[in-house]
Amino acid sequence: MCRAIDGHPTTIRYAGPVGPATMPFDYSVLRAFDPMQTARPDTVMTHAGLEPHAHHGIVNPPVYHASTVLFPTLDALEHAGQTKFDSVYYGRVGTPTTSALETAVALLEGGHRAIVAGSGLAAITTTLYAFLKTGDHILVTDSVYAPTRLFCDQMLVPMGVRVEYYDPHVGAGIAALLRPETRVVFAESPGSLTFEVQDIPAMAEAIRSAGRGDPPVLITDNTWASPLYFKPFAHGAHVSVHAATKYIVGHSDAMLGLIVCDEAHFHAVKQAAVLLGTCAGPDDVWLGLRGLRTMGVRLARHWETGLALAEWLATRPEVVRVLHPARPGDPGHALWRRDFTGASGLFSVLLKPAPRTALAAMLDHMRLFGMGYSWGGFESLIIPAKPQDIRSVTSWEEPGPLLRLHAGLEDASDLIADLRAGLDRYTAAKAA
Ligand SMILES: *Cc1c(COP(=O)(O)O)cnc(C)c1O
């Protein structure tokens, strides 16, 4: 009963639920994906995290938009408070939507559990906060993604963390750099812009055999290979971070990060994520889930087209060298073959020196390659890269421009035609 504005009582008659609020069938035969059934990546990528039996038979998990979560009783509220990490407690801490993506990526990569973050960089900074405090020492690869370096230099150093960069080719030599207060070794393989492949197994072994009771945490940025083409945990890493913004989302339309942990390190990272407020919007998490289901077929094409472009570029007179670890003859090729099961579409090419006007003549008129940061979407990108600005223990002395390319899903011969015309403009402007 409620009272209408003119003072006459109005009765609301309830005719029963509208639409399918109840489940008409027993859906239990549909079941959730069983990880014991197969570890084959294409099947895991397609099915992990789906629970159609719990959602009316609907294939995809619902996108929960949530801040508040209601508890039915005082007991339930108090119990959920004690098991916060594992219950649906508050939107920021996780929902069935976020756990679907976390489950799928952890299974695919071979980790224990995963945590979503609002961006790849948030995944990295959350992980570093989880393990570092004043007085600690961190070793970071000199080939690291530039914003990771800026976080180390501008946030960790003022906090009193000693940040030291190492040569990405260090391998087992990392042992000589370990100090009693080294808490983290941060790797990224292949390296941003220059694509050095790191010997993660040798580094992991050196860290293990240093014999410390509390060994440093080996974290690797696995964005380039994705959870599909490199398995950090099988190679000795403890935590793997991803810019899911790139291949997992795969369509250049959302920011998203993921942190995958082994069992020993999960709790510390989840705790840091909860303390820092690390979380992601539900629609972006859903875009990550949507992207993941097709990541295998997309990556196969990015890999194939990237290699085709790299091979073609290597034949051009303007090119000094191509930096792509999946190409035989690349300095990282042997390690890539040993440790990776595929390549993505990102690589670099070094050109012979020319004035800036020649570079502008090339890049200002590309038809298919867009100029922009990020990568991993369906479209091709090209951008000048300046490793000399972000190196401190290794040097980059090349006089010519370095271009970083992302091979998208376009037809490879159209991309080659675009590059051919661009290099022709480069040569013509250089001669002018
Ligand atoms: C893009 C990128 C990041 C950061 O990811 P965002 O989602 O852009 O914050 C981290 N590492 C690597 C290697 C990247 O390419």
Side-chain angles (χ1 to χ4, degrees), residues 5-30:
I5 25 177
D6 62 1
H8 293 286
T10 306
T11 302
I12 307 277
R13 281 209 193 81
Y14 180 59
V18 180
T22 51
M23 296 211 246
F25 308 115
D26 173 8
Y27 289 96
S28 60
V29 292
L30 296 178

Side-chain angles (χ1 to χ4, degrees), residues 205-254:
E205 180 53 34
I207 290 169
R208 256 196 312 273
S209 56
R212 271 179 36 190
D214 184 20
V217 186
L218 179 56
I219 304 168
T220 185
D221 183 329
N222 199 25
T223 301
W224 183 86
S226 90
L228 188 58
Y229 288 158
F230 179 73
K231 305 292 180 189
F233 303 98
H235 290 95
H238 305 117
V239 180
S240 170
V241 288
H242 293 275
T245 308
K246 310 288 168 56
Y247 288 116
I248 293 176
V249 167
H251 294 72
S252 309
D253 51 6

Side-chain angles (χ1 to χ4, degrees), residues 119-122 124 145 148 188 192 221 223 243 245-246 255-256 375:
S119 69
L121 189 58
I124 292 164
Y145 176 65
T148 305
E188 181 182 320
S192 269
D221 183 329
T223 301
T245 308
K246 310 288 168 56
M255 304 297 304
L256 198 66
W375 43 277

Side-chain angles (χ1 to χ4, degrees), residues 343-362:
S344 59
L346 193 78
F347 66 98
S348 288
V349 57
L350 178 66
L351 301 184
K352 290 180 184 159
R356 188 176 173 282
T357 47
L359 192 60
M362 176 179 179

Side-chain angles (χ1 to χ4, degrees), residues 29-96:
V29 292
L30 296 178
R31 287 189 210 96
F33 172 73
D34 174 8
M36 299 313 285
Q37 192 188 326
T38 176
R40 293 195 183 95
D42 285 314
T43 308
V44 174
M45 219 167 351
T46 312
H47 285 276
L50 299 181
E51 298 190 316
H53 65 288
H55 304 297
H56 307 267
I58 292 168
V59 172
N60 288 289
V63 183
Y64 282 99
H65 288 85
S67 53
T68 302
V69 175
L70 301 177
F71 301 97
T73 61
L74 179 63
D75 272 357
L77 181 133
E78 287 175 357
H79 178 76
Q82 284 153 17
T83 58
K84 229 192 251 193
F85 291 1
D86 291 308
S87 57
V88 179
Y89 173 83
Y90 183 54
R92 192 177 61 220
V93 182
T95 67

